[in-house]
Amino acid sequence: MSRREKKITKGEFDLFSSSNNFPLIGSWASKEYNTINPKISSYEDIDPSIRDVVSKNHKIYSVSSDPVSVFEINDCIVMPNGVFFINENVVAQSVHDFPLKNKESLQKPQSFDRISSEKPVLILSKYGYRNYGHWLIEIMPKIKFIVESGINLRDVSILVGHTNTKLDKVVRDSLRMILGFEPDLVAIDRPVSIKRAIYCTPITKHPFKMRPEISELFFELKSANLSKSKPEKMLFVTRRSANNRFLEGAKLVESYLVSKGFEVVDPGELVFSEQIKLFSASNVVVGIAGAAMTNTVFMEEKAKILHLVPSSMPNLFFYQLASICKNNYYEFRGEASSKKVSMFSKSFEINFSKFEDFFENIFLPGD
């Protein structure tokens, strides 16, 4: 099914519709990339309700990423999560990976602020904007396509969702680093009306596909800001500052890995530049699956990455990320505290003796 044939729910506005008269500024065709061969502790440790989806995607050896287009939009209302409306209809591309129940309840805001700037406003937000991983992989890299479309980002305002968390500083710092200048940032926490907007269509289909250009962007960023020394660090990435997916018995795992020469880190306690330097200086990472592990995008090709994952979590996002970055991907599953299939299980635990065997006999001797 082509993008122009995509089924659109009633009440949605399709930017690729033949009736759309908004100017197309740039477009990029679908691009293929090869997936990597994952090393999994056991598919039997994955919850049965998601096991087939996970194993099926691990057997897809070539992924065709979605086309990308950049449009100029006139007169729209934008929400902090990047959803925007034209007339009374929600724009289909801005809700392409919304959970269905959230999507069906969307209504055009009746109350909103107005952005009075004469400059065009680049919409740089989407579902999941409060998460570091979504920002780093699914939102910020749109900048690459915007620049390639010929837009001078010194001449635009950049709209992002305001989170009132540490992520707000990461957003500003990362944009400053990638652009080379202080961006004109508009952070919103309620709907706004925009007279003239710039919009880049999705560059990922979470969690099943990504654009290979994402890794290219971070290679450029890493190369421009770091020394060329050979990466030699080994990291264990914890989730001490998170309120879910807590690893029961983490101290035992930490002690074991420290004895093997690993450094224990919580990237959530570091500023953005420190996270880049730490991961780019590392060639082996073991970590609890979560946003902090997105920093593996700064590692060199063929780096070894082992995710500790609750049985209830698909984790395909990190598998796709490892594929476009050409890393070696390993996954050890643990039992979630809740039997409900969810990305946000409160805690999980792993069988340490099985982990030790997997680490010693599969992970360490691996590629």
Side-chain angles (χ1 to χ4, degrees), residues 131-159:
N131 180 279
Y132 177 82
H134 287 281
W135 167 254
L136 207 62
I137 303 304
E138 301 189 331
I139 304 176
M140 188 181 75
K142 287 186 175 186
I143 289 290
K144 185 174 179 68
F145 296 96
I146 297 293
V147 170
E148 289 182 3
S149 70
I151 294 172
N152 187 340
L153 288 176
R154 291 182 181 273
D155 298 333
V156 305
S157 297
I158 300 178
L159 182 146

Side-chain angles (χ1 to χ4, degrees), residues 4-212:
R4 291 184 183 277
E5 295 169 341
K6 183 168 68 72
K7 183 178 179 181
I8 300 297
T9 305
K10 182 179 179 180
E12 291 185 357
F13 183 95
D14 181 14
L15 288 174
F16 296 114
S17 168
S18 58
S19 61
N20 169 31
N21 59 0
F22 294 123
L24 177 65
I25 303 173
S27 62
W28 294 260
S30 174
K31 200 169 187 178
E32 289 195 357
Y33 61 91
N34 294 326
T35 56
I36 53 177
N37 180 29
K39 308 278 196 314
I40 311 297
S41 55
S42 171
Y43 281 101
E44 294 307 308
D45 294 329
I46 302 175
D47 189 282
S49 63
I50 58 172
R51 186 187 301 152
D52 288 347
V53 173
V54 172
S55 60
K56 178 181 177 181
N57 276 270
H58 286 167
K59 294 173 184 175
I60 298 174
Y61 305 116
S62 179
V63 175
S64 182
S65 63
D66 288 337
V68 174
S69 296
V70 176
F71 289 93
E72 180 177 324
I73 310 292
N74 295 321
D75 298 318
C76 62
I77 294 175
V78 185
M79 297 173 68
N81 60 5
V83 173
F84 67 101
F85 297 79
I86 294 174
N87 298 324
E88 298 299 317
N89 298 321
V90 65
V91 173
Q93 286 70 29
S94 72
V95 294
H96 81 297
D97 59 3
F98 255 60
L100 186 60
K101 62 180 180 179
N102 297 32
K103 188 174 177 179
E104 290 177 338
S105 64
L106 283 171
Q107 299 289 331
K108 178 183 175 182
Q110 298 303 306
S111 173
F112 47 84
D113 296 332
R114 297 184 185 277
I115 294 182
S116 57
S117 172
E118 293 300 317
K119 295 193 298 185
V121 177
L122 168 61
I123 300 173
L124 206 60
S125 189
K126 70 174 288 293
Y127 180 74
Y129 74 104
R130 293 179 173 275
N131 180 279
Y132 177 82
H134 287 281
W135 167 254
L136 207 62
I137 303 304
E138 301 189 331
I139 304 176
M140 188 181 75
K142 287 186 175 186
I143 289 290
K144 185 174 179 68
F145 296 96
I146 297 293
V147 170
E148 289 182 3
S149 70
I151 294 172
N152 187 340
L153 288 176
R154 291 182 181 273
D155 298 333
V156 305
S157 297
I158 300 178
L159 182 146
V160 296
H162 177 60
T163 69
N164 197 32
T165 68
K166 291 180 181 179
L167 185 56
D168 289 333
K169 179 170 171 43
V170 169
V171 167
R172 182 172 289 278
D173 289 349
S174 56
L175 284 174
R176 184 192 305 114
M177 189 175 292
I178 206 78
L179 297 175
F181 59 87
E182 187 70 36
D184 178 11
L185 211 57
V186 179
I188 63 170
D189 56 11
R190 67 184 311 271
V192 295
S193 170
I194 300 175
K195 187 68 177 174
R196 183 183 170 203
I198 304 295
Y199 179 70
C200 178
T201 59
I203 61 173
T204 63
K205 179 61 177 176
H206 186 85
F208 302 107
K209 58 178 71 175
M210 300 176 177
R211 293 285 306 200

Side-chain angles (χ1 to χ4, degrees), residues 16 37 72 99 103 110 176 250 285 288 317 320 327 337 361:
F16 296 114
N37 180 29
E72 180 177 324
K103 188 174 177 179
Q110 298 303 306
R176 184 192 305 114
V285 168
I288 302 169
F317 172 88
Q320 294 296 334
N327 296 141
S337 57
N361 298 310

